[in-house]
Amino acid sequence: MAEKAAPPDRRPVVTPTRVVAGLCLIAPFIAMLWVSSYARIEPTLIGIPFFYWYQMAWVLISTVLTCVAYKLVQREQRARKDGAA
C-alpha cells in the first residue's frame, strides 16, 4: 500500500499573530536579562526593595503574556483548520 506524503505547501508560515505571540514569550526573558535596569533598592513597595518586587511582578506579567500567546496561536490554528475544511 502506498502512503500519502504530506503536501510540500504545508510548511509553517510566519504570520503577524505568531510574531506577536513570539514577542509575548520573549519579553520576560529580555526584561530579566537586562539586570542593570532593576538592580537598585529604590523605590520600595511595602518595604520591599525594587530589585525583588520587580522580579515578582514579572512572574505575574509572564503568566499573562504566556496566556495571551497561547490564545493567539490557538485562535489562529482554529481559524486555519476551519478555513481548510
Side-chain angles (χ1 to χ4, degrees):
M1 294 203 182
E3 292 184 32
K4 290 174 65 175
D9 61 337
R10 298 276 305 169
R11 58 192 167 121
V13 178
V14 177
T15 62
T17 303
R18 290 184 183 190
V19 171
V20 171
L23 290 174
C24 286
L25 295 174
I26 196 101
F29 290 104
I30 293 171
M32 291 291 95
L33 289 175
W34 187 22
V35 178
S36 64
S37 69
Y38 63 92
R40 53 192 161 141
I41 296 174
E42 296 293 329
T44 59
L45 180 69
I46 320 170
I48 301 170
F50 181 74
F51 181 81
Y52 295 111
W53 67 259
Y54 178 83
Q55 291 179 49
M56 291 309 296
W58 270 104
V59 170
L60 301 174
I61 294 167
S62 297
T63 304
V64 171
L65 290 174
T66 302
C67 289
V68 168
Y70 174 74
K71 290 295 183 183
L72 286 172
V73 171
Q74 187 179 38
R75 184 178 356 154
E76 181 187 22
Q77 287 178 342
R78 196 175 316 122
R80 186 177 287 189
K81 190 176 191 180
D82 292 342

